[in-house]
Amino acid sequence: FWALVAEDYRTNDRDLGSQGFWTLFWHRFGNWRMSVRPKILRVPLTVLYRIMYKLCQWVCGIMLPYTVRVGRRVRLDHFGGMILVAHTIGDDVIIRQNTTFGIAGLGSMHDRPIIGNGVEIGAGAVVLGRIHIGTRARIGANAVVVRDVPPGAVVGGVPARIIRPGPET
């Protein structure tokens, strides 16, 4: 737990005031608390987590539930407007402000995106549904992504389309 926190601190510019750092801290705390035994000891930790999770939403403007699998060296760049309800966020991912990850509709409540390693996501991007964003892909600002993005590709627009294919395609 503490090794991940230290890495998150370095990744987010060693800034104790960084909203991205604090959101990742409480996300990782939420996961760590689930490993505490016996379960009765989890109760106060769960109360603390829920309070701080809500505070991160209110103060930092970032929603990142502990159920999202988050990799290492993830950078939540800039302040707020982030709803990050993905299945997985890979290693070395950069996510900019006003970004939304989530379901595409009420009929698909568990269909959440998988964000690969090394992905950069521009400000205002929306990534919806059971889709996969390939390794080192780039998503342009304000893009609405509802289909898989191949590794290394650059996408943009509404709906997003491939602007530059990746070297792997």
Side-chain angles (χ1 to χ4, degrees):
F1 170 74
W2 289 111
L4 284 172
V5 169
E7 190 172 60
D8 289 337
Y9 175 70
R10 289 189 300 273
T11 300
N12 286 277
D13 294 333
R14 301 182 194 288
D15 180 5
L16 276 178
S18 166
Q19 294 90 355
F21 168 72
W22 283 108
T23 300
L24 286 165
F25 176 87
W26 289 107
H27 173 272
R28 300 211 192 272
F29 178 88
N31 282 293
W32 169 81
R33 76 182 160 91
M34 297 305 288
S35 67
V36 171
R37 301 278 188 263
K39 284 185 175 184
I40 192 69
L41 295 178
R42 261 191 241 159
V43 173
L45 298 174
T46 296
V47 170
L48 176 61
Y49 165 73
R50 288 184 180 168
I51 290 168
M52 297 312 294
Y53 171 71
K54 190 52 76 176
L55 258 166
C56 281
Q57 288 179 35
W58 292 344
V59 175
C60 301
I62 305 171
M63 177 183 177
L64 179 61
Y66 82 94
T67 54
V68 177
R69 293 184 198 135
V70 176
R72 298 175 55 203
R73 296 173 304 279
V74 170
R75 183 178 173 100
L76 304 179
D77 223 3
H78 309 299
F79 171 77
M82 294 182 189
I83 299 173
L84 307 177
V85 186
H87 181 275
T88 306
I89 299 171
D91 297 336
D92 303 304
V93 173
I94 299 172
I95 304 168
R96 293 186 177 81
Q97 75 273 16
N98 298 321
T99 300
T100 300
F101 302 157
I103 62 170
L106 295 177
S108 55
M109 294 299 287
H110 300 289
D111 292 350
R112 300 174 295 159
I114 296 172
I115 311 299
N117 295 334
V119 173
E120 282 192 42
I121 300 171
V126 177
V127 181
L128 300 175
R130 186 184 301 194
I131 62 173
H132 186 269
I133 308 301
T135 301
R136 292 182 308 282
R138 303 291 177 259
I139 298 174
N142 298 314
V144 177
V145 184
V146 293
R147 292 192 190 116
D148 288 350
V149 175
V154 176
V155 300
V158 179
R161 59 178 172 57
I162 295 176
I163 296 170
R164 188 177 75 222
E168 291 89 357
T169 56

